[in-house]
Amino acid sequence: MALRTLIARNPLRAAAPAASRGLQTFSLPDLSYDYGELEPAISAEIMQLHHQKHHQTYITNYNKALEQLDAAAAKGDASTVVKLQSAIKFNGGGHVNHSIFWKNLAPVRAGGGEPPHGSLHKAIDSNFGSFEALIQKMNAEGAAVQGSGWVWLGLDKEFKRLVVETTGNQASVVVLILHSTPSVSLSSQDPLVTKGASLVPLLGIDVWEHAYYLQYKNVRPDYLKNIWNVINWKYASEVFDKESA
Amino acid sequence: MAAAVATPLKFTFSSSHGSTRRLQWRNNQRSVKRPYRGAITAKIEHKPPPYSLEALEPHMSRETFEYHWGKHHRAYVDNLNKQIVGTELDTMPLEEIILATYNKGDLLPPFNNAAQVWNHEFFWESMKPGGGGQPSQEVLDLIKRDFGSFEAFVTEFKAAAATQFGSGWAWLVYKANKLNVGNAVNPLPSEEDKKLVVVKSPNAINPLVYDYSPLLTIDVWEHAYYLDFQNRRPDYISTFMEKLVSWDAVSLRLEAAKARAAEREREEERARNEYEGDDSQTDPQPVEMYGTDSDDSEAD
């Protein structure tokens, strides 16, 4: 971990342009803490798998899909361009979401678990009644996500308010997918912006089973209860202040 | 064949599927008991797999079964029973609960629990100790006809399971329905219309809601493989195909599916004949609309 570069790098921008056409691809962002530093809320084993395997796989597949998209678009191959959309949405969404998630977490020594102060604190009180009420709401909605997804605290820039949203397999749009003709993309890695163009994610909690299963097994509510001990409200406040200016 | 339970709570599930739906699956789902009022209520059962929890080691661990069957499956059963007690759904067999609560895609709350109960039972029975290998000749012939080769089928099934984004299932199904329009008739029905198909579905959705006959399934929710394989879903899928899949179960299910399809065809034939028969009784000869007498309308 310590050998990683100190150069500040936005992982959601291109890390390395591909050779010929200037296609931007992506690489795994570093964590600013060691895998074990979020224990006992989240185990080191989970953090390592989640970061090095799951997130890396989203990036690898996203890059592959982007390269295929680039080639297809250059050739004017419309049906391939369309066919790639679900892979791009899923893997790109996975990359976007997890990049935010790592910043949403911090060890206790770095302020993890410390409630927000200042303007975000005020906004939480006025939108939800109290900090505790927000936690309860996010825990309830996170536990209720069927299957895989995320629970978000977002800023609605248009209406200047905070919202709690979930992105996940939505009951009303599930369809049976014939393998040979994938048509509807599933929402389980949809970024928050797919729920509303004016929504900015402040805080996301991954409720896919891979985020907690090795430690909490089927008891997702315990994971949700404990993760607040390592939530990095400093980052959420920074984003809030910047986006509500 | 007709609905078996005749109580004040009976739910009239009118369907275009006809009474052949009763021939489905297994009817050993329910233990019927009579509470003091004398009305019949029935509980959905938490059925164990047809083998002990460690029987599929080392390919699927006992620990996985303790959570997957012991916690996840059990919770679906308990939550479903709580949701349906005292409602019309309480007297229905599980498959009917699924279809009723699917509600044409606008899912009602019991759907997730009901479908997941069904899916997990179907999944345990899709595996057996010493599984894997090749299907029976009959199944193999159909696979070769509809996929080209056994290897091509395996490739497609594995790909479906691997690319079901998020939680869900991959299936081999027998697709017998010819047309999706209720009163349309296939002018050239043939055996070729009945196909084996690989499909995948998200969350709790299963092919029953599309009137297919499932033959085989693999659970690709992460809880199904995470303790044994962590993120390595493709390894789990390969292990399932090579070591766990019960082709015996597939053969039995195929027989049942073909019998159902044949029965349904006979019923549709009967229904068509009745309809045409009525017509010929009320209208034995074409009615003359215009007489051969001189037409007075142009008379001077």
Side-chain angles (χ1 to χ4, degrees):
Chain A
M1 280 298 294
L3 296 175
R4 303 293 185 140
T5 176
L6 295 173
I7 297 169
R9 197 169 62 201
N10 182 345
L12 297 178
R13 297 307 193 101
S20 51
R21 267 193 299 273
L23 173 70
Q24 317 273 31
T25 57
F26 299 85
S27 64
L28 188 66
D30 296 324
L31 307 187
S32 54
Y33 40 83
D34 291 334
Y35 291 131
E37 289 199 82
L38 302 184
E39 294 197 339
I42 307 178
S43 71
E45 190 187 13
I46 287 181
M47 287 306 296
Q48 179 160 9
L49 280 168
H50 204 173
H51 183 241
Q52 286 183 1
K53 302 289 179 186
H54 290 276
H55 189 174
Q56 178 63 65
T57 299
Y58 287 126
I59 289 170
T60 303
N61 291 337
Y62 183 40
N63 287 339
K64 197 164 67 172
L66 285 175
E67 279 160 11
Q68 290 170 338
L69 178 71
D70 200 46
K75 281 193 302 200
D77 181 356
S79 61
T80 300
V81 167
V82 171
K83 199 172 72 160
L84 286 167
Q85 296 309 308
S86 70
I88 286 171
K89 189 174 185 205
F90 180 69
N91 292 298
H95 171 52
V96 166
N97 291 341
H98 286 85
S99 300
I100 297 171
F101 188 50
W102 309 135
K103 293 196 274 218
N104 286 151
L105 301 170
V108 170
R109 62 149 178 91
E114 170 93 20
H117 311 294
S119 47
L120 179 56
H121 181 95
K122 287 202 198 69
I124 288 173
D125 281 350
S126 78
N127 280 269
F128 300 102
S130 69
F131 182 65
E132 290 68 34
L134 168 64
I135 306 300
Q136 252 185 343
K137 185 172 168 70
M138 287 189 75
N139 286 348
E141 305 235 357
V145 171
Q146 297 279 352
S148 310
W150 293 73
V151 57
W152 300 95
L153 173 66
L155 166 65
D156 185 333
K157 289 178 72 162
E158 189 185 342
F159 292 106
K160 297 196 182 352
R161 62 176 182 206
L162 297 178
V163 296
V164 169
E165 279 287 352
T166 56
T167 48
N169 299 109
Q170 300 295 312
S172 58
V173 297
V174 288
V175 291
L176 188 70
I177 297 174
L178 290 175
H179 180 235
S180 54
T181 54
S183 51
V184 175
S185 65
L186 300 175
S187 51
S188 47
Q189 283 296 359
D190 281 2
L192 179 62
V193 70
T194 58
K195 276 300 211 27
S198 58
L199 293 180
V200 174
L202 303 178
L203 166 59
I205 299 179
D206 191 352
V207 293
W208 280 63
E209 285 171 330
H210 65 239
Y212 60 88
Y213 206 80
L214 292 179
Q215 186 177 354
Y216 293 96
K217 310 294 193 308
N218 58 307
V219 194
R220 191 193 286 176
D222 282 357
Y223 159 69
L224 287 167
K225 203 169 58 143
N226 289 345
I227 199 173
W228 296 106
N229 295 322
V230 290
I231 289 293
N232 181 10
W233 285 106
K234 275 195 265 188
Y235 171 75
S237 296
E238 278 165 21
V239 178
F240 177 76
D241 289 339
K242 177 161 158 276
E243 297 288 341
S244 37
Chain B
M1 279 241 297
V5 178
T7 73
L9 296 176
K10 180 180 170 194
F11 180 79
T12 311
F13 178 58
S14 68
S15 75
S16 53
H17 307 300
S19 56
T20 47
R21 292 211 76 85
R22 290 289 176 288
L23 292 179
Q24 286 205 53
W25 323 122
R26 308 161 298 289
N27 57 5
N28 56 353
Q29 309 255 11
R30 312 182 58 84
S31 58
V32 179
K33 59 175 202 221
R34 285 181 178 274
Y36 68 95
R37 281 180 292 119
I40 298 174
T41 61
K43 271 165 58 89
I44 302 294
E45 197 194 331
H46 180 216
K47 219 168 151 234
Y51 38 76
S52 65
L53 298 188
E54 72 271 358
L56 301 189
E57 297 247 6
H59 313 298
M60 186 174 282
S61 66
R62 183 196 173 91
E63 194 192 12
T64 289
F65 269 99
E66 279 170 358
Y67 286 100
H68 200 180
W69 174 79
K71 308 272 184 184
H72 291 272
H73 183 178
R74 188 189 303 276
Y76 291 128
V77 171
D78 292 346
N79 290 334
L80 177 64
N81 282 327
K82 278 190 222 141
Q83 278 174 317
I84 67 175
V85 70
T87 73
E88 319 171 295
L89 299 173
D90 202 1
T91 59
M92 292 161 66
L94 184 59
E95 303 80 30
E96 281 191 23
I97 299 177
I98 292 170
L99 293 171
T101 55
Y102 177 69
N103 197 26
K104 300 184 187 167
D106 188 15
L107 308 182
L108 302 176
F111 176 82
N112 279 306
N113 291 317
Q116 284 290 78
V117 171
W118 192 95
N119 295 340
H120 282 88
E121 281 184 21
F122 195 79
F123 178 50
W124 311 137
E125 291 166 9
S126 295
M127 298 185 287
K128 67 174 203 182
Q134 296 251 322
S136 69
Q137 193 57 51
E138 186 194 7
V139 171
L140 192 56
D141 287 343
L142 279 179
I143 285 178
K144 284 180 178 166
R145 184 194 72 177
D146 293 334
F147 294 94
S149 67
F150 183 66
E151 289 67 35
F153 155 71
V154 172
T155 299
E156 187 171 336
F157 186 81
K158 285 182 169 184
T163 59
Q164 173 49 44
F165 294 156
S167 311
W169 304 78
W171 308 83
L172 174 65
V173 307
Y174 178 73
K175 189 180 172 207
N177 49 330
K178 303 175 282 283
L179 290 167
N180 293 327
V181 181
N183 59 355
V185 174
N186 186 340
L188 291 172
S190 89
E191 274 305 302
E192 284 299 307
D193 294 331
K194 303 193 183 78
K195 290 194 169 315
L196 296 186
V197 180
V198 165
V199 300
K200 58 190 179 187
S201 60
N203 284 1
I205 300 281
N206 65 37
L208 293 178
V209 306
Y210 284 82
D211 203 23
Y212 297 161
S213 298
L215 301 179
L216 176 65
T217 194
I218 181 172
D219 186 352
V220 291
W221 282 62
E222 286 175 326
H223 64 238
Y225 58 90
Y226 215 82
L227 296 180
D228 295 334
F229 293 92
Q230 293 78 61
N231 61 303
R232 301 182 327 269
R233 194 196 282 192
D235 288 350
Y236 159 66
I237 298 165
S238 292
T239 299
F240 174 85
M241 290 308 293
E242 288 160 24
K243 308 286 188 189
L244 293 174
V245 63
S246 168
W247 288 113
D248 297 337
V250 173
S251 291
L252 286 172
R253 291 158 175 176
L254 180 63
E255 281 319 297
K258 286 165 132 185
R260 263 197 310 284
E263 173 65 30
R264 185 183 301 184
E265 275 171 8
R266 283 197 288 278
E267 284 219 353
E268 284 171 1
E269 189 64 33
R270 267 200 292 279
R272 262 203 303 284
N273 288 338
E274 272 175 23
Y275 180 72
E276 284 158 17
D278 285 344
D279 264 5
S280 60
Q281 272 155 28
T282 57
D283 211 6
Q285 273 152 22
V287 172
E288 275 202 44
M289 298 274 295
Y290 304 105
T292 51
D293 302 4
S294 57
D295 182 358
D296 294 334
S297 63
E298 297 291 335
D300 297 334

